[in-house]
Amino acid sequence: MQRFINNPEFIVDDLIKGYVKAYKGFIEKSANNDRVVKRKNSPETGKVGIVTGGGSGHEPAFLGYVGENMVDAVAVGEVFASPPAEAFYDAILEADSGEGVACLFGNYAGDNMNVKMAIQMAEEEGVNVKFVTAKDDIASSPKETRHRRHGIAGGVYMWKAGGAKAALGGTLDDVIAVAQKAADNTRSICVGLSSCTIPAAGTPNFEIEEGMMEIGIGHHGEPGIRVEKLKSAAEIAAMMTDALLDDFAFDREQNIAVLLSGLGSTPKMELYVLYDAIEEVLKKQNHRVEVVLIGDYATSLDMNGISLSLMKLDNELKELLAYPAKTSGLTIIRS
Amino acid sequence: MQRFINNPEFIVDDLIKGYVKAYKGFIEKSANNDRVVKRKNSPETGKVGIVTGGGSGHEPAFLGYVGENMVDAVAVGEVFASPPAEAFYDAILEADSGEGVACLFGNYAGDNMNVKMAIQMAEEEGVNVKFVTAKDDIASSPKETRHRRHGIAGGVYMWKAGGAKAALGGTLDDVIAVAQKAADNTRSICVGLSSCTIPAAGTPNFEIEEGMMEIGIGHHGEPGIRVEKLKSAAEIAAMMTDALLDDFAFDREQNIAVLLSGLGSTPKMELYVLYDAIEEVLKKQNHRVEVVLIGDYATSLDMNGISLSLMKLDNELKELLAYPAKTSGLTIIRS
Amino acid sequence: MRFSNKEGITVVHAIIEEIVSNRDYLSKVDAAVGDGDHGINMSKGFNMADKEIAGSDLNMNEGFLVISKTLISKIGGSMGPLYGNFFRGLSVASKEKEMIDSSVILEMLKKAYSNITLITDASEGDKTLIDVLSPAITAYKINYKNDHSLPDCLNEMMAKAKEGLENTKNMTAKVGRGSRLGDRTLGHQDAGATSCYLILKAFSSSITKIVNAES
Amino acid sequence: MRFSNKEGITVVHAIIEEIVSNRDYLSKVDAAVGDGDHGINMSKGFNMADKEIAGSDLNMNEGFLVISKTLISKIGGSMGPLYGNFFRGLSVASKEKEMIDSSVILEMLKKAYSNITLITDASEGDKTLIDVLSPAITAYKINYKNDHSLPDCLNEMMAKAKEGLENTKNMTAKVGRGSRLGDRTLGHQDAGATSCYLILKAFSSSITKIVNAES
Ligand SMILES: Nc1ncnc2c1ncn2[C@@H]1O[C@H](COP(=O)(O)OP(=O)(O)O)[C@@H](O)[C@H]1O
Ligand SMILES: Nc1ncnc2c1ncn2[C@@H]1O[C@H](COP(=O)(O)OP(=O)(O)O)[C@@H](O)[C@H]1O
Ligand SMILES: [Mg+2]
Ligand SMILES: [Mg+2]
Ligand SMILES: [Mg+2]
Ligand SMILES: [Mg+2]
């Protein structure tokens, strides 16, 4: 295992220590919980709080989206494990100014259980919490059981839209409504070319044979929907785009936001090679690409692979995505 | 070779096609040269032009720094090979508004030869060109032959400072002076944990044994200064920081900018684990960390490794680094 | 056949030891259809609880409460809330009891089970720990009603637990990470069911040991 | 012993073929102390030139000019400017000549060499193509002055070229990517010196073939 780590049992502590050091200008650890990272000036009077959280190993998700006009506080879990209920609870308290808190997370079984326990605890303290789960990964469950799908990189749109709405003075219901709209209109799919290794485990948690690719692989190495011979970047890009468009089943051309993320060890160069073909497919079907994000937005430790997310835009979502934001994972400058 | 590519011989064409598609809002290909990418509104009347260039495979360097208040035009080479003289020449023409052009590049043998040929050609056309080379990689040549050192991620500071100075209305000499100051005050070093594979070659161009690390590895897999047993992140971070501070040989505490870059396949999580220890070492010697950049800033295809760059700051450099900029590789928002 | 709540702390220790020593095995089982971290998650929580308990002089029900609180506040994942609620149930139902007999144990098992079902809607056949827990507890209940001895109740419980665990191999995962695998989970034993079996096994055999020593 | 500039196009073809067919070998040599792409860089440029030349009816000097222009405008790297200038020299010194003899060839080699030294300050012993080129051309010059036949001049040139190439194994790289390796470059042949040797070899043997056929 060729990795830059100290004791793998404490990797999340090391991550958080380094992270809050690097961004101490606008970020800090919660005084109440070592596994909660927050904006320095959260809670902000009059503003709805935005909370998220999830397992570590997906950096910049989740803590990388804490910052101006996005997320206010985040619960940080162990590698690939939901944060404890207590961490979600403390994150909610750190984000609440009295206007309520929107908890926007990824619909994994553990997160669901822990968030629900946390919400119950917070409500007992008189905090008004509502939640939205991202369910963009179309490979994680068939269309008939969409409610079981997991949230992956598409969550970035949910946090961006929800965070901007809150910054613009939206009520908790307003924020929940746009976050829900962002989640409902986003679909993602991954392709993996190699496994990933949980540092504490020390060996890859699955195998992809040389010359093969795993379509629909999950963000923790969960097996995908099928294993196929590795194809050209253009063919892979077209297959992924088609799969998402199929799931959307649009009846006419749309304004689209594209988010192409590496999964951890994917070279930047390849993302652009892929994007070239993705835009071609969208254009051929007369869709208009209005927003493009390419980089590492939600990763899976050292997995070699990519996720492609498409969001169907309306004017409100488009404006919210373009609203300025400053986090370590995404900075939007007024254009 | 588990990669997202089409025909490896045309990977640079694919990269450029995808890149200009993704950022068509502010980027375009030069009409005169397929290997030149430029800001849409370059040349800008009254502004000194900023040009850079280098081999591909280092994304986001170099084309990722084209944008508002940074680089105006870039010459794009084959994978790990200097762009042709003609590409530098055309980039210079695309950046010149009549105020002259600062060509800020990385001091590799090929770049030096091609830039010099290009400058000669440009001067024959009446364009005033001056240049600065980044020489931050302390492992690429001993202190006595510093003029031979290569430029790596430290170049980002040079482009940022030079680009901001030009945007603020600096003359060509002003821009060259701050770019030179940035270059003179920056030191970098890499540690590699795995090799990289040039797609057209198809096999790794060297080997690092499991359990070992290569200290001072070059950005194209050039062997480093020594191979050692892989240590903990904290030990590696301390060793790298110490090596840079040694080379600086400061006589008192300084204001420092830190840039920690993955080399291509390094998980984001590990960068923060490393940063924690880097800042510890700097603080112990009473240096003040004023600017922090952590992410993928200059990579080497799929190499697993990191580069650490430190810049000694003065007020001018600090202000220029903080000046707003918008590129795909680095966005600075007014704080 | 009964034992004191005080003596029962050895049951707590036995469970902790069982989980901690099966760390790698549980991760291996999880790797086949999950993300390979079940042993890491579990042993981390149980190790923390172990440290918390060490040195202090706790009753069994207090020991279970420490495990529960540690899992809920420090572990997260699915296991934090699920086993956190499970051990909370074992603790709550034995809290007021100075002596533990087969009837208290029935209440403990019932409460632990209902606490889990409160928080997940997984049911039998979904390839989870429920597939061990549910038949195991039913077996205990039946044997208890038939006035069988405590060791016999526990023995029968473990026979059904083992059967339940084996059965997960023939199930398609319906919840959790394995659910996306569909039929590809066939042939693989469920990780959560495995840890649940180990917990029940340590629970049963350590109790049997105490009561056999007493008699 | 002479041949027409027209016939000389076979020299151009021979050089292109030599480089293209040694693509993988040159990369392998470069991998030991460089970045392993020398064969890729070279063959890409020479292939492009080949396509440009194919079908058209060029003289030798025009063929060399195509190679030069392709390298300078399309290839980049170190090889673009270095060999671009080298082939420009071969072209310029043979441009006005209808017939090529040993004296024209001397001028060609001298011009090619001085063109390279204009753009690099690498000198003999730095472990570069200069270590092949410099002794090779000197040998040609000496044999020419001693009135040896063209094939003999070329033969002697290649003997020294071979020696120069071998000698790079005992040198520490002073320029280029290998320079950071210091003494670790010892024992490895230089990549640029290797391609330079191959170019000279194809140059010499194809010329020898033409003049032998004529006589
Ligand atoms: N919703 C659920 N209800 C009951 N058990 C579940 C549920 N989700 C997961 N499990 C159990 O959790 C086990 C996996 O646990 P673990 O690997 O620790 O967590 P994770 O799946 O988050 O990595 C599965 O084998 C299954 O038995
Ligand atoms: N400054 C220089 N002067 C002369 N030859 C050089 C110089 N730099 C490099 N070379 C030659 O170039 C060769 C490497 O070429 P190549 O691999 O194509 O380029 P790169 O080093 O850019 O990858 C070296 O073996 C050496 O002979
Ligand atoms: Mg997990
Ligand atoms: Mg090269
Ligand atoms: Mg698991
Ligand atoms: Mg090379």
Side-chain angles (χ1 to χ4, degrees):
Chain A
M1 196 180 43
Q2 295 288 86
R3 304 260 61 99
F4 296 105
I5 52 171
N6 300 310
N7 184 338
E9 301 270 340
F10 301 122
I11 191 166
V12 176
D13 300 277
D14 289 346
L15 160 68
I16 294 176
K17 274 195 292 175
Y19 193 85
V20 298
K21 274 201 180 88
Y23 305 113
K24 54 178 157 287
F26 63 102
I27 288 287
E28 65 190 10
K29 225 189 274 190
S30 161
N32 301 320
N33 194 317
D34 267 3
R35 292 302 171 90
V36 173
V37 172
K38 64 181 281 281
R39 272 174 73 213
K40 264 193 166 163
N41 44 0
S42 173
E44 207 177 309
T45 316
K47 194 184 87 68
V48 168
I50 308 282
V51 160
T52 189
S56 292
H58 303 300
E59 295 66 32
F62 300 83
L63 78 181
Y65 299 111
V66 176
E68 228 168 281
N69 303 341
M70 264 180 99
V71 172
D72 293 297
V74 64
V76 184
E78 282 302 308
V79 173
F80 287 0
S82 170
E86 202 177 70
F88 276 113
Y89 170 73
D90 283 320
I92 288 167
L93 294 194
E94 293 288 12
D96 182 48
S97 70
E99 301 296 322
V101 172
C103 187
L104 312 177
F105 65 102
N107 203 39
Y108 289 87
D111 293 326
N112 271 312
M113 290 187 255
N114 287 297
V115 166
K116 276 166 202 167
M117 286 177 78
I119 289 180
Q120 194 190 316
M121 288 156 76
E123 280 175 346
E124 285 166 14
E125 300 296 317
V127 181
N128 189 11
V129 189
K130 299 192 172 175
F131 70 88
V132 176
T133 52
K135 304 186 183 77
D136 46 307
D137 185 359
I138 66 164
S140 57
S141 208
K143 215 165 174 176
E144 309 82 60
T145 46
R146 266 197 65 188
H147 64 281
R148 280 199 180 141
R149 286 182 178 172
H150 295 153
I152 54 173
V156 171
Y157 289 139
M158 176 177 72
W159 301 315
K160 181 70 190 73
K165 192 73 185 180
L168 286 163
T171 64
L172 179 55
D173 284 336
D174 294 339
V175 170
I176 290 292
V178 294
Q180 189 67 56
K181 182 161 71 174
D184 288 344
N185 286 289
T186 304
R187 305 282 186 282
S188 303
I189 188 167
C190 297
V191 166
L193 302 189
S194 86
S195 61
C196 58
T197 299
I198 296 178
T203 45
N205 58 357
F206 66 105
E207 285 290 331
I208 298 176
E209 254 181 90
E210 178 79 21
M212 305 300 282
M213 61 179 169
E214 181 122 12
I215 297 163
I217 195 163
H219 259 40
H220 313 86
E222 299 93 331
I225 42 186
R226 63 182 187 276
V227 176
E228 264 187 23
K229 261 192 130 154
L230 179 55
K231 298 217 173 72
S232 74
E235 288 168 306
I236 295 169
M239 179 269 293
M240 295 173 81
T241 314
D242 285 339
L244 298 180
L245 292 176
D246 257 19
D247 198 88
F248 272 118
F250 293 134
D251 52 8
R252 56 183 178 81
E253 65 271 23
Q254 301 290 345
N255 295 333
I256 300 281
V258 180
L259 190 161
L260 180 62
S261 176
L263 292 186
S265 70
T266 317
K268 297 290 153 291
M269 186 182 213
E270 298 174 18
L271 299 181
Y272 293 105
V273 172
L274 287 156
Y275 182 72
D276 183 47
I278 292 165
E279 196 178 295
E280 283 304 304
V281 174
L282 291 170
K283 267 195 176 156
K284 238 178 230 152
Q285 308 203 18
N286 298 316
H287 299 302
R288 289 168 297 272
V289 177
E290 304 260 349
V291 179
V292 180
L293 293 176
I294 298 179
D296 289 346
Y297 289 96
T299 63
S300 300
L301 294 170
D302 57 342
M303 199 188 291
N304 178 11
I306 45 161
S307 72
L308 172 63
S309 307
L310 300 182
M311 177 159 78
K312 176 189 151 187
L313 288 169
D314 63 9
N315 283 340
E316 183 183 32
L317 287 173
K318 196 179 155 186
E319 272 164 33
L320 293 172
L321 291 193
Y323 193 73
K326 185 187 169 186
T327 71
S328 80
L330 178 66
T331 298
I332 303 285
I333 199 166
R334 190 177 298 282
S335 53
Chain B
M1 195 180 44
Q2 296 287 86
R3 303 261 62 99
F4 296 105
I5 52 171
N6 301 310
N7 185 338
E9 300 270 341
F10 301 122
I11 191 167
V12 176
D13 301 277
D14 289 346
L15 160 67
I16 294 175
K17 274 195 292 174
Y19 192 85
V20 297
K21 274 201 179 89
Y23 305 111
K24 56 178 156 287
F26 63 103
I27 288 286
E28 65 190 10
K29 226 189 272 190
S30 161
N32 301 319
N33 194 318
D34 267 3
R35 291 303 171 91
V36 173
V37 172
K38 63 180 285 279
R39 273 174 72 214
K40 265 193 165 165
N41 45 359
S42 172
E44 209 177 307
T45 316
K47 194 183 90 67
V48 168
I50 307 284
V51 160
T52 188
S56 293
H58 304 299
E59 294 67 33
F62 300 83
L63 78 181
Y65 299 110
V66 177
E68 229 168 281
N69 303 341
M70 264 180 97
V71 173
D72 294 297
V74 65
V76 183
E78 280 304 305
V79 174
F80 287 1
S82 170
E86 202 177 69
F88 277 112
Y89 170 74
D90 283 320
I92 289 167
L93 293 194
E94 293 288 11
D96 183 48
S97 70
E99 302 296 322
V101 172
C103 188
L104 312 177
F105 65 102
N107 203 39
Y108 289 87
D111 294 325
N112 271 310
M113 289 187 256
N114 286 298
V115 166
K116 276 165 202 168
M117 287 177 78
I119 289 180
Q120 196 191 314
M121 289 155 76
E123 280 175 346
E124 285 166 13
E125 299 297 317
V127 180
N128 189 12
V129 189
K130 299 193 171 174
F131 70 90
V132 176
T133 52
K135 304 186 183 76
D136 47 307
D137 186 1
I138 66 164
S140 57
S141 207
K143 215 167 174 173
E144 310 82 61
T145 46
R146 266 197 65 188
H147 63 281
R148 282 202 179 137
R149 286 182 178 171
H150 295 154
I152 54 173
V156 172
Y157 290 137
M158 175 177 73
W159 301 316
K160 181 70 190 74
K165 193 74 185 180
L168 286 163
T171 64
L172 180 55
D173 285 335
D174 295 339
V175 171
I176 289 292
V178 293
Q180 189 66 56
K181 182 161 70 174
D184 288 344
N185 286 290
T186 304
R187 304 282 186 283
S188 303
I189 189 167
C190 296
V191 166
L193 302 189
S194 86
S195 61
C196 58
T197 300
I198 296 177
T203 45
N205 57 358
F206 66 106
E207 285 290 331
I208 298 175
E209 254 181 90
E210 178 79 21
M212 306 300 282
M213 62 178 168
E214 180 121 14
I215 297 163
I217 195 164
H219 259 40
H220 312 87
E222 299 94 331
I225 43 187
R226 63 182 188 276
V227 176
E228 266 187 22
K229 261 192 127 153
L230 179 56
K231 297 216 175 71
S232 74
E235 288 168 305
I236 295 169
M239 178 269 292
M240 295 173 81
T241 313
D242 285 340
L244 298 179
L245 291 176
D246 257 21
D247 198 87
F248 272 119
F250 293 134
D251 52 8
R252 55 182 179 81
E253 65 272 22
Q254 301 290 347
N255 295 333
I256 300 282
V258 180
L259 191 162
L260 179 62
S261 176
L263 292 187
S265 70
T266 317
K268 296 291 153 293
M269 186 182 212
E270 298 175 17
L271 299 181
Y272 293 105
V273 172
L274 287 157
Y275 182 72
D276 183 47
I278 292 165
E279 195 177 296
E280 283 305 304
V281 174
L282 291 170
K283 267 195 177 156
K284 240 179 227 151
Q285 307 204 17
N286 297 316
H287 299 302
R288 289 168 297 272
V289 177
E290 304 260 351
V291 179
V292 181
L293 293 176
I294 299 178
D296 289 345
Y297 289 95
T299 63
S300 300
L301 294 170
D302 58 341
M303 200 188 291
N304 178 10
I306 45 161
S307 72
L308 173 64
S309 307
L310 301 182
M311 177 160 78
K312 177 188 150 187
L313 288 169
D314 62 10
N315 283 340
E316 184 184 31
L317 287 174
K318 194 177 156 186
E319 272 165 33
L320 293 172
L321 290 193
Y323 193 74
K326 184 187 170 187
T327 72
S328 80
L330 178 66
T331 298
I332 302 286
I333 200 166
R334 190 177 297 281
S335 54
Chain C
M1 286 194 143
R2 41 185 233 160
F3 57 99
S4 71
N5 202 330
K6 184 109 268 157
E7 289 171 284
I9 191 69
T10 62
V11 180
V12 175
H13 289 303
I15 291 172
I16 290 173
E17 209 205 294
E18 185 73 26
I19 289 300
V20 170
S21 64
N22 280 289
R23 178 181 183 275
D24 295 345
Y25 169 64
L26 289 172
S27 288
K28 220 190 83 195
V29 173
D30 189 35
V33 294
D35 60 353
D37 62 355
H38 188 58
I40 302 170
N41 301 339
M42 293 294 286
S43 75
K44 186 151 189 172
F46 283 76
N47 263 325
M48 282 169 109
D50 193 37
K51 279 199 191 119
E52 183 97 15
I53 291 167
S56 57
D57 183 28
L58 302 184
N59 287 343
M60 179 185 75
N61 76 291
E62 292 166 330
F64 285 142
L65 196 63
V66 170
I67 296 182
S68 167
K69 284 195 164 162
T70 309
L71 293 176
I72 288 174
S73 67
K74 300 285 173 232
I75 292 312
S78 314
M79 294 305 105
L82 287 170
Y83 280 125
N85 274 8
F86 174 87
F87 282 102
R88 190 176 177 83
L90 293 184
S91 175
V92 165
S94 56
K95 193 175 165 189
E96 315 277 284
K97 316 290 177 184
E98 210 167 295
M99 295 305 292
I100 312 294
D101 59 14
S102 56
S103 119
V104 175
I105 291 175
L106 175 63
E107 289 314 308
M108 286 167 68
L109 291 169
K110 277 165 65 180
K111 183 70 182 153
Y113 183 68
S114 76
N115 267 7
I116 281 201
T117 55
L118 263 181
I119 145 169
T120 173
D121 40 48
S123 48
E124 263 184 277
D126 286 355
K127 196 173 182 117
T128 71
L129 44 90
I130 300 288
D131 293 305
V132 163
L133 215 50
S134 173
I137 291 174
T138 305
Y140 184 97
K141 220 181 300 181
I142 292 170
N143 280 276
Y144 172 80
K145 287 209 176 127
N146 291 339
D147 281 331
H148 292 167
S149 73
L150 177 52
D152 285 351
C153 291
L154 292 170
N155 258 339
E156 286 305 309
M157 173 172 93
M158 287 320 295
K160 289 295 176 189
K162 178 93 197 166
E163 226 179 275
L165 177 59
E166 280 301 313
N167 286 340
T168 63
K169 289 189 189 165
N170 309 318
M171 293 172 189
T172 303
K174 295 281 174 0
V175 301
R177 298 190 197 290
S179 61
R180 58 197 293 160
L181 265 170
D183 285 348
R184 282 164 65 183
T185 57
L186 282 173
H188 298 286
Q189 183 171 309
D190 179 61
T194 310
S195 59
C196 186
Y197 171 78
L198 293 175
I199 288 168
L200 292 180
K201 192 181 83 171
F203 180 84
S204 300
S205 61
S206 59
I207 290 176
T208 305
K209 221 157 139 191
I210 305 176
V211 296
N212 284 344
E214 314 260 300
S215 57
Chain D
M1 285 194 146
R2 41 185 232 157
F3 57 100
S4 70
N5 202 329
K6 186 108 266 158
E7 288 172 283
I9 192 70
T10 62
V11 180
V12 175
H13 288 304
I15 291 172
I16 290 173
E17 208 205 295
E18 185 73 27
I19 289 300
V20 170
S21 64
N22 280 288
R23 178 180 184 275
D24 295 345
Y25 170 63
L26 288 172
S27 288
K28 219 189 83 197
V29 173
D30 189 36
V33 296
D35 59 354
D37 62 355
H38 188 58
I40 301 169
N41 301 338
M42 293 294 287
S43 75
K44 186 154 190 169
F46 282 76
N47 263 325
M48 282 168 108
D50 193 36
K51 279 200 191 115
E52 183 97 15
I53 291 167
S56 56
D57 183 28
L58 303 183
N59 287 345
M60 179 185 75
N61 76 292
E62 292 165 330
F64 285 141
L65 197 62
V66 171
I67 296 182
S68 167
K69 285 195 164 162
T70 308
L71 293 176
I72 288 174
S73 67
K74 301 285 172 231
I75 292 312
S78 315
M79 294 305 105
L82 287 170
Y83 280 126
N85 274 8
F86 175 87
F87 282 102
R88 189 175 178 82
L90 294 184
S91 175
V92 165
S94 56
K95 194 175 166 190
E96 314 278 285
K97 316 289 177 186
E98 210 167 293
M99 294 307 290
I100 312 294
D101 59 14
S102 57
S103 121
V104 175
I105 291 175
L106 176 62
E107 289 314 308
M108 286 168 68
L109 292 168
K110 277 164 67 180
K111 183 69 182 154
Y113 183 69
S114 76
N115 268 7
I116 280 202
T117 55
L118 262 180
I119 145 168
T120 172
D121 40 50
S123 48
E124 265 185 274
D126 286 355
K127 198 174 181 115
T128 70
L129 44 90
I130 300 287
D131 293 305
V132 164
L133 215 49
S134 174
I137 291 175
T138 305
Y140 185 98
K141 218 182 299 180
I142 292 169
N143 281 276
Y144 173 79
K145 287 207 176 128
N146 291 339
D147 282 332
H148 292 167
S149 73
L150 177 51
D152 285 351
C153 292
L154 291 170
N155 257 342
E156 286 306 309
M157 173 173 93
M158 287 320 295
K160 289 295 177 189
K162 178 94 200 167
E163 226 178 276
L165 178 59
E166 280 301 313
N167 286 340
T168 64
K169 289 189 187 163
N170 307 319
M171 292 172 189
T172 303
K174 295 280 173 3
V175 301
R177 297 190 197 289
S179 60
R180 58 196 295 162
L181 265 171
D183 285 349
R184 282 165 65 185
T185 56
L186 283 173
H188 298 286
Q189 181 171 309
D190 179 59
T194 310
S195 59
C196 186
Y197 171 78
L198 293 176
I199 287 168
L200 292 180
K201 194 180 81 171
F203 181 84
S204 301
S205 62
S206 59
I207 290 176
T208 306
K209 223 159 139 188
I210 305 177
V211 295
N212 283 345
E214 315 263 300
S215 57

